[in-house]
Amino acid sequence: GTDLEAITGPRMLELVAAFICLTTLLTYVNYRFIGLPPTIGVMVTALLFSLILQGLSVIGYPGLEERVQGLMSQIDFNDLLMHWMLAFLLFAGALHVNLADLRDYRWPIGLLATVGVLIATVVIGYLAHWIFALFGWHVNLLYCLLFGALISPTDPIAVLGALRTANASKPLKTTIVGESLFNDGTAVVVFTVLLGIAQLGETPSVSDTAILFAREAIGGALFGAVIGYVTYRMIKSIEQYQVEVMLTLALVIGGSAAAYELHVSAPIAMVVAGLIIGNLGRNLAMNDMTRRYMDGFWELIDDMLNALLFALIGLELLLLPFSWMHLAAAGVLAVAILLSRLLTVAPAIVMLRRWRTVPRGTIRVLTWGGLRGGVSVALALSLPSGPERDLLLSIT
């Protein structure tokens, strides 16, 4: 009882206060002095902060680094991101996606978010197995495939942030955003199946795997559609922007908690609910004032959680066993990941060209634009303890 009180009481308050203050300072430093795109800038500033702390420790001031490490070790990054932050970020991203555009590009988006993730998992897994052997690390093929699964999904948070500042064409923007919003669910299911094999030592049957995928992905989409539609009807029945914004907040918090209790994919549920509120709700149930406040509220939530997330990723380096060998291997693997990205993107865009005009350079931009982020780090952190986890987490 006393341990729980210690974590949930003043210590938790101290942790939240310290982290929000630190993230705000890093955001200010980037905006004022560095000027990189917000998410990248915050992460770079956090990395620099980590390096400064390590430098102070080397010259005889170890207390500050140990204090930050102590705070960081109390954060369950996997639980925080996968169960809470990701739901808010995906809902906020889906609010601004046009459903009609998604329908127009459903085939390339669907292929990239499903078959593309599976192909990337296998290609990256086998290339990682070969590359690790070159560096003298003998990693089980199953763990290499786990690395392939966790690094396959493109990150909707990073992608949306980058596309806001880029003058991307509509087909390109829709394909990238649509794929990144939906491929998380596929990757999490593939990762879960492989992790189950690694922990139990036995391969599940094809039917078991299909049932798991259907329950997580299709169940998540259906659950998101139900709660999104119910919330839309409630918003339509009133004209009070404070209550309408609160309804969407309750939708995300309550919907995420319920999805995990029902064992369906909360990320997919939030994407579907966000699409319903952002399309039906925005067009048929909201007046101009509600739209303005709704957009402002969710953009603020999106920007604040982005800053917290990428600061967290930057500071995670303090807790990792890290060497120049890891950096070299990560550089080689980055090329392998780009190659697998090219192999998955090119067929989908060639298919799209048959009935739509696709701008020149689309394959190139989609290949380089497959940014990875917090989802990959969270999945790597959920690996069971051991030398493989430390290696894969450092590489990720």
Side-chain angles (χ1 to χ4, degrees):
T2 52
D3 287 347
L4 185 62
E5 284 162 19
I7 293 168
T8 56
R11 194 188 296 175
M12 180 56 75
L13 191 61
E14 177 193 5
L15 181 64
V16 172
F19 191 60
I20 288 175
C21 290
L22 179 60
T23 304
T24 305
L25 182 64
L26 295 174
T27 308
Y28 173 80
V29 168
N30 173 59
Y31 190 84
R32 179 76 174 80
F33 301 107
I34 301 174
L36 285 168
T39 50
I40 298 167
V42 169
M43 192 169 78
V44 168
T45 316
L47 288 170
L48 291 173
F49 180 76
S50 297
L51 291 172
I52 290 167
L53 286 179
Q54 289 172 347
L56 288 171
S57 182
V58 168
I59 61 172
Y61 298 95
L64 189 57
E65 184 185 8
E66 287 170 7
R67 182 80 169 156
V68 176
Q69 279 183 332
L71 287 171
M72 290 296 295
S73 64
Q74 292 174 43
I75 299 172
D76 185 340
F77 190 93
N78 180 56
D79 183 63
L80 179 68
L81 177 66
M82 297 304 291
H83 289 189
W84 296 109
M85 289 176 80
L86 191 61
F88 280 90
L89 291 163
L90 288 174
F91 181 83
L95 272 180
H96 300 287
V97 175
N98 189 309
L99 208 50
D101 292 343
L102 275 188
R103 203 178 296 120
D104 287 345
Y105 300 99
R106 61 188 177 276
W107 287 110
I109 289 169
L111 280 172
L112 287 171
T114 53
V115 179
V117 170
L118 294 171
I119 292 171
T121 297
V122 174
V123 172
I124 294 168
Y126 276 93
L127 285 172
H129 189 61
W130 179 67
I131 290 165
F132 287 149
L134 286 181
F135 281 86
W137 299 316
H138 299 289
V139 182
N140 187 301
L141 178 61
L142 194 52
Y143 274 89
C144 294
L145 289 169
L146 274 166
F147 174 73
L150 68 88
I151 210 75
S152 291
T154 53
D155 186 47
I157 303 143
V159 169
L160 284 164
L163 284 177
R164 275 197 202 113
T165 57
N167 190 22
S169 66
K170 186 177 172 182
L172 186 59
K173 203 169 184 177
T174 305
T175 304
I176 292 178
V177 172
E179 175 210 1
S180 64
L181 284 172
F182 285 102
N183 63 13
D184 289 337
T186 311
V188 169
V189 173
V190 173
F191 180 86
T192 305
V193 170
L194 290 171
L195 189 58
I197 297 170
Q199 290 175 326
L200 297 173
E202 56 186 53
T203 307
S205 66
V206 174
S207 61
D208 288 345
T209 307
I211 289 166
L212 174 66
F213 184 82
R215 190 182 69 201
E216 285 276 333
I218 300 171
L222 289 173
F223 179 67
V226 169
I227 59 174
Y229 185 76
V230 169
T231 307
Y232 151 68
R233 295 297 302 183
M234 291 171 77
I235 289 171
K236 193 173 183 180
S237 68
I238 57 172
E239 287 291 338
Q240 181 68 19
Y241 71 86
Q242 296 99 324
V243 181
E244 292 174 68
V245 172
M246 280 179 69
L247 281 169
T248 59
L249 187 60
L251 164 67
V252 175
I253 296 173
S256 299
Y260 285 106
E261 288 296 320
L262 294 168
H263 301 290
V264 298
S265 173
I268 290 177
M270 288 307 109
V271 169
V272 173
L275 288 170
I276 289 170
I277 300 298
N279 288 269
L280 282 179
R282 183 189 299 278
N283 296 331
L284 303 175
M286 298 179 195
N287 58 33
D288 289 340
M289 181 179 282
T290 301
R291 281 191 208 103
R292 192 165 67 249
Y293 277 101
M294 189 77 73
D295 288 345
F297 176 80
W298 281 104
E299 279 171 23
L300 189 61
I301 291 282
D302 193 28
D303 289 343
M304 285 166 60
L305 287 181
N306 263 322
L308 288 167
L309 171 61
F310 282 84
L312 203 56
I313 292 171
L315 291 170
E316 270 295 319
L317 265 192
L318 278 176
L319 302 178
L320 290 179
F322 194 74
S323 71
W324 291 108
M325 285 277 281
H326 289 134
L327 199 61
V332 177
L333 272 164
V335 177
I337 289 163
L338 281 169
L339 176 65
S340 77
R341 177 77 181 156
L342 179 63
L343 290 174
T344 55
V345 161
I349 299 306
V350 168
M351 179 189 284
L352 182 62
R353 278 199 173 122
R354 289 182 179 175
W355 73 91
R356 285 201 183 279
T357 304
V358 178
R360 283 170 60 86
T362 295
I363 293 174
R364 192 163 62 246
V365 173
L366 270 171
T367 301
W368 284 102
L371 302 172
R372 271 66 174 182
V375 177
S376 297
V377 177
L379 290 176
L381 281 161
S382 69
L383 289 166
S385 296
E388 289 96 347
R389 178 188 185 271
D390 291 343
L391 172 65
L392 294 181
L393 188 52
S394 299
I395 297 289
T396 304

